Amino acid sequence: MTSHFGLMVIFSLFVSVVFATLMRDEPREQLKFGGRLLAGFIGAGVVIGWLLYPLPL
Amino acid sequence: MPATTADRAQPDTTAYLICAAAWLVPGVGHLWLGRRQKGIVFLVALTLMFVFGLWLEGALFPFQLAEPLVALGALADLGVGLPYILARATGAGAGRVVAITYEYGNTFVIVAGLLNMLVVLDAFDIAKGRK
């Protein structure tokens, strides 16, 4: 497993699961909140990745 | 939601004991307080995240006070409790700096410890009847 995107998705999944479980009590709410967090993390990662793309190292 | 032992505030000593248990084994504080679903999720997710970080060849940082960032990393690693102690005892977490996943591994291990610290604080709030 060396795909940057894959690792970012797995990391986001772990963090979303823990935050959703911490911040919501009902399983249904946890699922909704966790899904929104996961989508937000992945979306932000992709957007920031593209914003950084033209920058020289 | 069914009534649990957390519906009434615990005495200070019990609350601190719950915190210690929650630090040592991720999720155990919530299990102790009757929040079974949350406890199991924390136990599985945080332990898996830590192990995944080690599998990605991340390092367990040493406590080097001369290097403040390394010391902070070590403190964060320690946050996950027993998995950290077991990894140290078995010689896991040496890290391989040249591995392509080294930084990812470090991130997984560090964040697992930091998230467990949040979980401990949440268990304390529940034990004190604030949640």
Side-chain angles (χ1 to χ4, degrees):
Chain A
M1 168 61 82
T2 53
S3 150
H4 294 277
F5 182 75
L7 288 172
M8 191 261 283
V9 170
I10 294 170
F11 179 82
S12 305
L13 184 70
F14 279 123
V15 176
S16 302
V17 165
V18 174
F19 268 117
T21 311
L22 262 181
M23 298 178 74
R24 297 288 185 270
D25 288 330
E26 298 299 325
R28 194 181 173 82
E29 288 296 309
Q30 289 171 352
L31 209 64
K32 273 170 61 179
F33 186 64
R36 289 215 314 266
L37 268 180
L38 181 63
F41 277 134
I42 295 172
V46 170
V47 169
I48 292 170
W50 275 106
L51 287 176
L52 291 173
Y53 182 69
L55 295 180
L57 284 175
Chain B
M1 175 168 279
T4 65
T5 52
D7 290 336
R8 56 192 160 78
Q10 307 285 327
D12 278 351
T13 319
T14 312
Y16 290 124
L17 266 178
I18 289 170
C19 283
W23 165 73
L24 193 62
V25 182
V28 157
H30 286 79
L31 290 172
W32 185 331
L33 292 162
R35 311 279 170 114
R36 207 166 62 180
Q37 183 253 356
K38 287 191 176 205
I40 291 170
V41 170
F42 294 141
L43 179 63
V44 173
L46 293 175
T47 308
L48 212 60
M49 191 175 187
F50 181 81
V51 171
F52 201 70
L54 294 183
W55 181 69
L56 291 173
E57 305 189 76
L60 294 176
F61 293 108
F63 282 95
Q64 287 178 356
L65 294 180
E67 297 277 351
L69 290 179
V70 174
L72 282 175
L75 201 63
D77 288 349
L78 189 61
V80 82
L82 194 61
Y84 171 87
I85 297 166
L86 288 177
R88 269 258 178 258
T90 56
R96 196 166 65 89
V97 183
V98 293
I100 196 165
T101 54
Y102 173 72
E103 292 296 345
Y104 284 104
N106 288 341
T107 307
F108 274 73
V109 170
I110 287 173
V111 173
L114 293 176
L115 285 174
N116 195 42
M117 291 181 191
L118 284 180
V119 169
V120 171
L121 290 177
D122 189 62
F124 183 75
D125 277 345
I126 297 170
K128 296 307 286 178
R130 295 177 191 149
K131 287 184 89 176

